[in-house]
Amino acid sequence: MTQLESNIFVFVVLPLVFLAVWGYAFFYIRRISHRIHEMEGPNGHLDSMEAGIMAAMQRPLRTVRPR
């Protein structure tokens, strides 16, 4: 590997991989947190397991794609 290839790998490729992994983790955690807040009741916590299940079932399915 030449000096130029090595520099490109170290200063371009590795930082992009690092940012991609941390960006994915950040948005995944935000999505899960948002889903939990949707399932919580007006009190800010789940009153019961049934309430959480009902809230999740009433949520429209946006992830299903028709084929």
Side-chain angles (χ1 to χ4, degrees):
M1 187 180 283
T2 66
Q3 184 70 27
L4 177 63
E5 291 172 341
S6 177
N7 285 342
I8 290 173
F9 181 76
V10 169
F11 294 111
V12 175
V13 175
L14 288 181
L16 286 176
V17 169
F18 178 80
L19 290 174
V21 169
W22 280 103
Y24 177 79
F26 174 75
F27 288 114
Y28 180 77
I29 290 170
R30 280 190 56 163
R31 188 178 69 193
I32 296 298
S33 177
H34 180 71
R35 180 87 184 261
I36 290 170
H37 288 298
E38 281 182 348
M39 286 191 259
E40 290 175 342
N43 299 339
H45 59 84
L46 291 176
D47 296 327
S48 66
M49 186 182 300
E50 290 83 12
I53 292 171
M54 285 300 294
M57 290 177 68
Q58 291 174 356
R59 180 176 182 238
L61 294 175
R62 289 180 276 162
T63 58
V64 177
R65 296 183 185 114
R67 292 183 182 198

